[in-house]
Amino acid sequence: MSLTFEVHVDQNEYLPSGGRVMDAVVSVTLTGETLGAPGLDRGLARVVLLDTSGSMSGNKIAQAKLAVGAVITALPDGVPFAIVAGTEVATMVYPTTPTLAEASATTRAEARRAVGRLVAGGGTAIGSWLRLAQQLLEGTTAPIRHAVLLTDGRNEHESTEQFHDTVMACEGKFTCDARGIGDSGWQARTLERVADTLHGTVRGLPDPTALGQEFREITEKLMGTAAVDVTLRLWTPAHARLRFLKQVFPRIVDLTDRGVPVPGSPRVRDYPTGHWAAETRDFHLSIEVDEGEVGEGLVVARVRMSVGDQESPEHRVRAFWTDDPVLSTRISPQVAHFTGQQHIAELVRDGLDAHQAGDLPLATDRLGRAIDLAKRAGNEETVKHLAKLIEDDGAGTTRVRDRMDDVLRQMADIESKRTTRVRPKE
């Protein structure tokens, strides 16, 4: 398959005298002649991690079983797969031993029957589910190793440190999409930790009947995978400091501390970005350098995309020092746009934390400012979710709701990190 990463750097290259921080947005688009071509064997292995704790009883477990059954039915012949039930421990549902089964008419029927027998009961320890998924998937040669995590509960039966350590240990071993089911119990930040670290997507599904469609969309995206385990390769000069590197579209994910040194290249690090389809992603890069003299210039970063033994052409982020305020105060539209959207996510988090602490004036201020910024950015989905947290006090003034449904809080937290790109000028 012929693939090309098209890379564009958006920045104002000019710094004022004394300036030390250079920001740039690196936009990357994957293109190729056969991207998305039907019938190609993508080499998929899949594990479904289904929460069967006590809180999943009733309609949630019933709808989840229907959705998982539909996923099993849709598995093409030959795809390795497994179904895991999650409580305070991880238990094999199908096959019954810790291995992957190969999809066929027989194994699909057996797996559906096994899922149909599941009942809800027990606690929640998501790290144990992920460890079993890692064990199952490390035994396959399939390039696309994927898990889906479905839960409605809080991760209460393991320590935060145990959970975080497990998630980090799974990075690079498989990807994982995380879904919160129902209108209470699940925590956005737990699911975000899983999805962001394991290069998956995260979403809340207050209506469990939406699970079937959600699985279909996840599968369609996987089938469109064209490049596996893509990294952003970053060089920085001596005496430079990486302030941060974040994916800022389609979702804000902080990659700053996840760089892996490249052997033999002490100034180069690889930052994992997961699997790619035919898509565009944007990354916000911020570098602090030593102060330069007016008239001097410096390459502050070199960026290229890398997958396997293939690398894209190198693209440079530059800095030039000037005493011309017209040049140094120019605004990069992309940098300004994504800086604003990162600020939205920060305001939402501060507002939700303030509400949780009972500081309603602070919560009203932060969430109101977030809504204003989201409107200016054209982020209609974020505005829609945040508006549910605000009410009119009857005197024409808006304020945060005294009582807030937990699902609205969790959905707002997730959606505040889903971004839009700069709209083209008409």
Side-chain angles (χ1 to χ4, degrees), residues 9-13 15 20-25 243-244 284-288 300 317-318 332 335 339 342:
V9 176
D10 191 275
Q11 64 168 140
N12 176 11
E13 298 180 336
L15 290 174
R20 300 181 60 185
V21 174
M22 176 54 67
D23 287 274
V25 168
R243 297 180 65 239
F244 60 80
H284 186 172
L285 173 65
S286 186
I287 304 284
E288 182 178 358
V300 302
V317 179
R318 304 175 186 273
S332 160
V335 171
T339 298
Q342 292 169 72

Side-chain angles (χ1 to χ4, degrees), residues 14-37:
Y14 293 97
L15 290 174
S17 176
R20 300 181 60 185
V21 174
M22 176 54 67
D23 287 274
V25 168
V26 180
S27 299
V28 183
T29 301
L30 178 61
T31 63
E33 296 176 359
T34 53
L35 271 178

Side-chain angles (χ1 to χ4, degrees), residues 25-349:
V25 168
V26 180
S27 299
V28 183
T29 301
L30 178 61
T31 63
E33 296 176 359
T34 53
L35 271 178
L40 289 176
D41 181 5
R42 307 295 182 183
L44 168 67
R46 166 172 274 179
V47 174
V48 178
L49 305 173
L50 175 58
D51 185 345
T52 58
S53 62
S55 59
M56 280 288 289
S57 61
N59 187 47
K60 283 186 281 190
I61 191 68
Q63 293 297 330
K65 287 159 66 173
L66 287 174
V68 174
V71 169
I72 294 168
T73 298
L75 285 170
D77 285 349
V79 171
F81 77 101
I83 312 298
V84 172
T87 57
E88 64 270 23
V89 295
T91 304
M92 293 298 302
V93 176
Y94 190 83
T96 55
T97 56
T99 185
L100 297 174
E102 186 174 294
S104 67
T106 299
T107 59
R108 285 192 292 267
E110 291 173 347
R112 286 194 300 270
R113 286 194 292 271
V115 169
R117 292 190 292 267
L118 289 172
V119 295
T124 304
I126 294 174
S128 68
W129 314 351
L130 296 172
R131 284 193 295 273
L132 182 52
Q134 179 181 352
Q135 177 186 342
L136 293 168
L137 290 167
E138 66 187 4
T140 179
T141 58
I144 305 174
R145 300 172 302 280
H146 177 255
V148 181
L149 168 66
L150 305 177
T151 183
D152 80 326
R154 297 176 184 274
N155 198 41
E156 296 177 333
H157 289 80
E158 63 187 346
S159 70
T160 300
E161 293 74 17
Q162 287 174 317
F163 170 66
H164 289 177
D165 288 347
T166 297
V167 175
M168 292 304 299
C170 291
E171 183 177 13
K173 309 297 175 55
F174 61 96
T175 63
C176 186
D177 291 304
R179 297 294 182 266
I181 308 171
D183 57 7
S184 65
W186 56 272
Q187 294 179 305
R189 296 176 192 181
T190 298
L191 298 186
E192 287 172 336
R193 170 73 68 163
V194 172
D196 292 349
T197 304
L198 304 186
H199 307 290
T201 60
V202 58
R203 185 166 297 167
L205 298 174
D207 181 2
T209 62
L211 269 171
Q213 177 61 28
E214 193 70 19
F215 263 122
R216 285 189 289 273
E217 292 177 2
I218 290 172
T219 300
E220 287 175 4
K221 182 178 179 181
L222 283 172
M223 291 299 99
T225 299
V228 176
D229 295 331
V230 177
T231 61
L232 186 152
R233 181 160 289 183
L234 177 66
W235 171 93
T236 54
H239 311 300
R241 181 178 73 87
L242 176 66
R243 297 180 65 239
F244 60 80
L245 173 65
K246 300 178 183 179
Q247 177 185 288
V248 288
F249 179 83
R251 175 179 165 79
I252 299 170
V253 180
D254 194 342
L255 303 174
T256 309
D257 297 325
R258 293 164 62 181
V260 178
V262 174
S265 303
R267 306 300 309 167
V268 181
R269 286 180 174 266
D270 279 344
Y271 292 83
T273 65
H275 303 342
W276 287 58
E279 61 182 302
T280 296
R281 301 189 197 180
D282 295 297
F283 302 88
H284 186 172
L285 173 65
S286 186
I287 304 284
E288 182 178 358
V289 295
D290 290 344
E291 181 181 337
E293 298 292 333
V294 170
E296 285 186 341
L298 176 70
V299 175
V300 302
R302 297 173 181 167
V303 179
R304 66 173 77 231
M305 303 306 293
S306 174
V307 54
D309 296 329
Q310 301 179 23
E311 291 186 342
S312 73
E314 178 183 275
H315 294 263
R316 299 184 176 190
V317 179
R318 304 175 186 273
F320 297 95
W321 281 268
T322 180
D323 56 7
D324 184 343
V326 174
L327 293 177
S328 63
T329 57
R330 287 176 180 169
I331 297 174
S332 160
Q334 292 275 16
V335 171
H337 177 77
F338 285 116
T339 298
Q341 295 204 74
Q342 292 169 72
H343 191 38
I344 292 170
E346 293 165 1
L347 288 169
V348 170
R349 175 158 291 200

